[in-house]
Amino acid sequence: MKKTASELNGVKEIARRANVSIGTVDRVMHNRKGVSDATRLKIEAIIKELNFQPNKMASLLATRKNMNFAVLIPAVSEETDYWSYPLNGINQAAAETNQFGVTVKPYFYALDSKESFNRVAEEMLKDEPHAVLLAPSFVEDSQVLAKRINELGLPLAFINSDLAGQDNLTYIGPDLYQSGRLAAQLVSFSLKPLDKVLIINISADLRNDHHLVRKEHGFKKFFEETRSATHISTLNISETKVCVVEEALTRTLNADNTIKAIFVTNSRVNIVAEILKKHRRNDLLVGYDFLEKNIDYLKSGQIKYLICQRPKEQGYLGIMALYKHLYNVSEVERFVYMPIDIITKENYQFYNG
Amino acid sequence: MKKTASELNGVKEIARRANVSIGTVDRVMHNRKGVSDATRLKIEAIIKELNFQPNKMASLLATRKNMNFAVLIPAVSEETDYWSYPLNGINQAAAETNQFGVTVKPYFYALDSKESFNRVAEEMLKDEPHAVLLAPSFVEDSQVLAKRINELGLPLAFINSDLAGQDNLTYIGPDLYQSGRLAAQLVSFSLKPLDKVLIINISADLRNDHHLVRKEHGFKKFFEETRSATHISTLNISETKVCVVEEALTRTLNADNTIKAIFVTNSRVNIVAEILKKHRRNDLLVGYDFLEKNIDYLKSGQIKYLICQRPKEQGYLGIMALYKHLYNVSEVERFVYMPIDIITKENYQFYNG
DNA sequence: CTGAAAGCGCTTACAG
DNA sequence: CTGAAAGCGCTTACAG
């Protein structure tokens, strides 16, 4: 059944009105060269007049576009299953974009090894992806990598932590300062007048872990601004072994028995929980991340609050950002800050990570 | 450029292997009748062997499927902008599914009028939608409507509150009992030994507002289970006017000056906040929902915690569920419980509603 | 019960 | 610089 001229759809209708072939319309739509200014202008005017949006599905079908996205993130380790959550989100996005020809390939590096990071990055680049999702660790090495990716003209999305001065498409992750403030507020709600607060930073590489510093800063700032007289001290521990943490922590707690609340600036809060439990203490303990170990202590009451920043959603949104950019679905925001979630014993069941 | 026989794609390859035409393959794929058992079996075997998934985009393009989804939700009112959040989510989903031929049309009813609910429902049915997203109010009227929608064979998704015994595709919303428990836990973290707690239910239709009952129940249960000696009383107020609430509240608070914490079981917590502010009280106040008025009192410190259940995401997921079902994208879960979010002065900025 | 052909709306060589 | 034709993978009448 033929259509009357006036009810043609899409490119055909435009071609009819402009008195050209659909091939030429296509050329103008995609700013390809080889079209006279006169026809180009004429066609552009008609496109504008009709507010024409090309049919994405037809276009995808005709191009049989196939894109592979590389994902460079830490491997799930013995110590932490944190990275399984972003990976879940990434896989979900992969499943949803698969029908549009997207293939997602993850490359895992060891969180404690620069060598592994660089080796795996090389591997990834060799596979010539069309876009990269990166969780940057090792600031300098990540910067070098980001530069190379930029030079290749590939869209680059960061999750989990940002890298200043890079030409990346988007950053999707937490606002660390504000999460520290939130932790402080939660502590403040339960604190009695003379209680003291202890901040604990646990990291094998304290100097380079600017994450912890930003959280600590937010935490302290909250108490400053509320003109609280609460005494706050900081304990830095540069090893992640339980016995080392235990020794340092015990010494500190024994020296001052008015410490009633403890803020651990990362997911290692479970180490502190284990120690407090052993010593039958019941301090107000606040830490980070929806890890199995941490949830266990949440259930037992040893940890009161966990602060989480939707790691799964970060992964999901990271892939979707690349997809939306490359398939012209919509504009992508340069900064996407995750909501800061508070998890307790009474709501962890419904949290998806 | 012709392909060699062995690298045909999709239906063509299957047709070639089965020695039939692609039309017949299509019939089998969609379980249409008019195919001999022999050919059907042969084709099904090949489909299985190849693990063949038809190309969605091609299929969509060929069918030029156009679907209109009806959305029946309360209108945003003077009193509350709550329903603007689900609507945002719905609009976002509408934008994303639009390219697949989905049109979403919202129908708004007045939250306080059964008559309006039923009138607007009729309007909606007259437009003959292909699927319905419903936020049920007025239990009985909603049940009647749900039955009719079922009889029409239309997929039906509920958001915000469930309706028992209906043949709906999915329910996406909160677990009210658990949110009450969470409120109790938050209160308990700040409570001193002899402090008393007041629960306030404010609703023009207290008897039918089973929402409030479930939250209250969860709240009390938490204290029971933790074998707390905390005294908890309930104040029911069947009018939503500030002066009425003020009178009842003032009387209660004057009668017992050991009340230090107040749990308002719905979004009307801002009314209580206003009154407490006027009386220069600083009780620990916990309530529901990310409304502008509530956020204002969160900022001023009058409200300590707001419990929210992602209204925007409920709307978004509701539309996506209908879409996934009708376009065979994936299975839809029968129950989707939202995470229970805790909002305070220090994290509301990053909450999207 | 089955096949051949036209079509969905866009893209891509190819020819001129 | 431009057009005609074939094709993406699936669906839909129509004919037999």
Side-chain angles (χ1 to χ4, degrees):
Chain A
M1 77 215 118
K2 277 271 161 65
K3 299 187 174 181
T4 60
S6 67
E7 53 181 34
L8 285 174
N9 276 327
V11 282
K12 279 189 199 160
E13 173 63 9
I14 299 195
R16 189 187 65 80
R17 296 201 184 201
N19 230 305
V20 297
S21 75
I22 58 171
T24 302
V25 173
D26 192 71
R27 286 179 192 105
V28 173
M29 277 167 50
H30 298 289
N31 292 313
R32 281 192 269 275
K33 37 194 280 184
V35 183
S36 74
D37 284 353
T39 25
R40 157 153 280 134
L41 257 30
K42 185 161 50 164
I43 294 176
E44 279 171 346
I46 297 174
I47 287 180
K48 187 161 242 172
E49 189 198 334
L50 264 47
N51 187 225
F52 169 65
Q53 305 279 136
N55 181 315
K56 208 118 242 154
M57 289 168 330
S59 147
L60 251 29
L61 186 59
T63 32
R64 282 149 306 158
K65 218 187 258 194
N66 271 18
M67 297 261 177
N68 45 315
F69 295 177
V71 171
L72 187 56
I73 58 175
V76 176
S77 69
E78 267 291 296
E79 198 202 346
T80 163
D81 53 336
Y82 178 81
W83 285 99
S84 67
Y85 291 95
L87 187 58
N88 279 343
I90 287 162
N91 286 334
Q92 193 188 316
E96 287 182 21
T97 54
N98 177 58
Q99 57 179 316
F100 304 116
V102 174
T103 315
V104 174
K105 181 168 177 188
Y107 301 77
F108 302 108
Y109 62 87
L111 198 41
D112 55 3
S113 158
K114 267 192 211 194
E115 186 276 328
S116 137
F117 177 82
N118 288 313
R119 184 168 37 76
V120 176
E122 286 308 324
E123 236 177 78
M124 176 204 84
L125 288 175
K126 233 175 241 140
D127 290 348
E128 301 192 341
H130 296 96
V132 179
L133 177 65
L134 174 64
S137 303
F138 316 114
V139 176
E140 285 138 44
D141 303 70
S142 295
Q143 275 166 336
V144 172
L145 177 61
K147 285 243 160 50
R148 287 178 63 191
I149 293 171
N150 284 159
E151 276 158 19
L152 291 167
L154 306 179
L156 173 61
F158 293 137
I159 59 169
N160 196 250
S161 68
D162 203 2
L163 224 48
Q166 296 305 316
D167 189 21
N168 54 320
L169 176 67
T170 183
Y171 164 69
I172 298 163
D175 182 304
L176 303 167
Y177 169 82
Q178 194 61 36
S179 80
R181 287 190 63 110
L182 177 61
Q185 191 197 27
L186 294 175
V187 165
S188 79
F189 281 154
S190 300
L191 223 52
K192 294 184 192 65
L194 294 176
D195 292 350
K196 287 189 188 165
V197 179
L198 178 65
I199 300 174
I200 307 183
N201 298 313
I202 307 173
S203 171
D205 191 12
L206 275 174
R207 248 149 317 160
N208 287 315
D209 221 333
H210 51 296
H211 277 211
L212 309 189
V213 179
R214 305 239 294 273
K215 293 173 186 169
E216 182 180 345
H217 179 221
F219 191 91
K220 287 178 171 166
K221 198 78 182 175
F222 174 87
F223 279 101
E224 272 173 38
E225 282 184 17
T226 53
R227 277 161 289 135
S228 148
T230 305
H231 182 273
I232 302 172
S233 55
T234 302
L235 176 61
N236 289 315
I237 304 174
S238 59
E239 283 199 54
T240 61
K241 275 184 242 140
V242 177
C243 56
V244 177
V245 176
E246 179 164 12
E247 214 233 279
L249 180 56
T250 311
R251 197 173 334 115
T252 307
L253 292 177
N254 285 345
D256 185 347
N257 66 3
T258 59
I259 290 177
K260 299 294 183 193
I262 299 177
F263 172 48
V264 182
T265 51
N266 62 14
S267 62
R268 303 219 165 77
V269 59
N270 59 76
I271 302 177
V272 175
E274 184 184 333
I275 296 166
L276 293 180
K277 184 179 180 186
K278 188 170 155 193
H279 292 238
R280 297 172 189 279
R281 292 185 59 116
N282 192 27
D283 307 75
L284 177 78
L285 180 58
V286 181
Y288 279 85
D289 294 341
F290 197 72
L291 311 188
E292 272 176 41
K293 280 186 200 170
N294 291 350
I295 299 297
D296 286 343
Y297 286 112
L298 206 58
K299 287 194 227 172
S300 76
Q302 207 75 48
I303 295 177
K304 292 293 188 301
Y305 298 103
L306 284 174
I307 292 179
C308 308
Q309 306 240 13
R310 308 206 184 168
K312 180 175 166 192
E313 201 172 333
Q314 288 182 37
Y316 178 82
L317 293 177
I319 294 295
M320 292 311 275
L322 296 174
Y323 160 72
K324 287 179 182 171
H325 177 72
L326 283 171
Y327 286 77
N328 284 308
V329 175
S330 60
E331 288 292 296
V332 170
E333 288 196 71
R334 177 68 186 75
F335 294 96
V336 179
Y337 291 108
M338 292 287 106
I340 314 176
D341 295 322
I342 304 166
I343 309 300
T344 79
K345 186 181 182 178
E346 296 299 332
N347 73 351
Y348 78 87
Q349 317 96 298
F350 295 116
Y351 199 67
N352 303 317
Chain B
M1 75 213 127
K2 276 273 162 64
K3 301 188 172 181
T4 61
S6 67
E7 52 180 36
L8 285 175
N9 275 329
V11 284
K12 279 189 200 160
E13 173 64 11
I14 300 196
R16 190 187 65 80
R17 296 202 185 199
N19 228 305
V20 297
S21 76
I22 57 171
T24 302
V25 173
D26 191 69
R27 286 179 193 104
V28 172
M29 277 167 50
H30 298 287
N31 292 312
R32 282 192 269 277
K33 38 193 281 184
V35 183
S36 74
D37 284 356
T39 24
R40 156 152 283 132
L41 256 30
K42 184 162 51 166
I43 294 175
E44 280 172 346
I46 297 175
I47 287 181
K48 185 160 243 168
E49 189 198 334
L50 264 46
N51 188 227
F52 169 64
Q53 304 279 135
N55 181 315
K56 209 119 243 154
M57 288 171 329
S59 149
L60 250 31
L61 186 60
T63 34
R64 284 149 304 159
K65 220 187 254 196
N66 274 352
M67 298 258 178
N68 44 315
F69 294 178
V71 171
L72 187 56
I73 58 174
V76 176
S77 69
E78 267 291 294
E79 199 202 346
T80 162
D81 54 334
Y82 178 81
W83 286 98
S84 67
Y85 291 96
L87 187 57
N88 279 344
I90 287 162
N91 286 334
Q92 192 188 317
E96 286 183 20
T97 54
N98 177 60
Q99 57 179 316
F100 304 116
V102 173
T103 315
V104 175
K105 182 168 176 188
Y107 301 77
F108 302 109
Y109 62 88
L111 198 43
D112 55 3
S113 157
K114 268 190 208 190
E115 186 277 326
S116 138
F117 177 81
N118 287 311
R119 184 167 37 76
V120 176
E122 287 308 324
E123 236 177 80
M124 176 205 84
L125 288 175
K126 233 174 241 141
D127 290 347
E128 302 191 338
H130 296 96
V132 179
L133 177 65
L134 174 64
S137 304
F138 315 116
V139 176
E140 285 137 43
D141 303 70
S142 295
Q143 276 167 336
V144 172
L145 177 62
K147 287 242 160 55
R148 288 177 63 191
I149 294 171
N150 283 159
E151 277 158 18
L152 291 167
L154 305 179
L156 173 62
F158 292 138
I159 59 169
N160 196 249
S161 69
D162 204 0
L163 224 48
Q166 296 303 318
D167 188 21
N168 53 321
L169 175 66
T170 184
Y171 163 69
I172 298 162
D175 183 305
L176 301 168
Y177 169 82
Q178 195 62 36
S179 79
R181 286 189 63 111
L182 177 60
Q185 191 196 28
L186 294 175
V187 166
S188 79
F189 281 154
S190 300
L191 224 51
K192 296 186 190 67
L194 295 176
D195 292 349
K196 288 188 187 166
V197 179
L198 179 65
I199 300 175
I200 306 184
N201 298 312
I202 306 173
S203 170
D205 191 12
L206 275 173
R207 249 150 315 162
N208 289 315
D209 221 334
H210 51 296
H211 276 210
L212 309 190
V213 179
R214 306 239 293 275
K215 293 172 186 169
E216 182 180 344
H217 179 221
F219 191 91
K220 287 178 172 167
K221 199 79 181 177
F222 174 87
F223 279 101
E224 273 173 39
E225 282 182 15
T226 52
R227 275 161 291 137
S228 147
T230 304
H231 182 275
I232 301 173
S233 54
T234 301
L235 176 60
N236 289 315
I237 304 175
S238 59
E239 282 198 55
T240 60
K241 274 183 243 141
V242 177
C243 56
V244 178
V245 176
E246 178 164 15
E247 215 234 277
L249 181 55
T250 311
R251 199 175 330 120
T252 307
L253 292 178
N254 286 346
D256 186 346
N257 66 5
T258 58
I259 292 177
K260 299 294 184 194
I262 299 177
F263 172 46
V264 181
T265 52
N266 61 16
S267 62
R268 302 219 165 76
V269 60
N270 59 77
I271 301 178
V272 175
E274 184 184 334
I275 296 165
L276 293 180
K277 184 179 180 188
K278 189 170 154 193
H279 293 237
R280 296 170 188 281
R281 292 184 62 116
N282 192 26
D283 307 74
L284 178 77
L285 180 58
V286 181
Y288 279 86
D289 295 339
F290 197 70
L291 311 188
E292 273 176 40
K293 281 185 199 172
N294 291 350
I295 299 299
D296 286 342
Y297 286 112
L298 207 59
K299 287 193 227 171
S300 76
Q302 207 74 48
I303 295 176
K304 293 293 189 300
Y305 298 103
L306 284 174
I307 293 180
C308 307
Q309 306 238 12
R310 307 203 187 171
K312 181 176 165 189
E313 199 172 334
Q314 288 183 37
Y316 177 83
L317 293 176
I319 294 295
M320 294 310 277
L322 297 174
Y323 159 73
K324 286 181 183 170
H325 177 71
L326 284 172
Y327 285 79
N328 285 309
V329 175
S330 60
E331 288 292 296
V332 170
E333 286 196 72
R334 177 69 186 76
F335 293 97
V336 179
Y337 291 107
M338 291 287 105
I340 313 178
D341 294 323
I342 303 166
I343 309 300
T344 79
K345 186 180 180 178
E346 295 298 333
N347 72 352
Y348 78 87
Q349 318 94 300
F350 295 116
Y351 199 66
N352 303 317

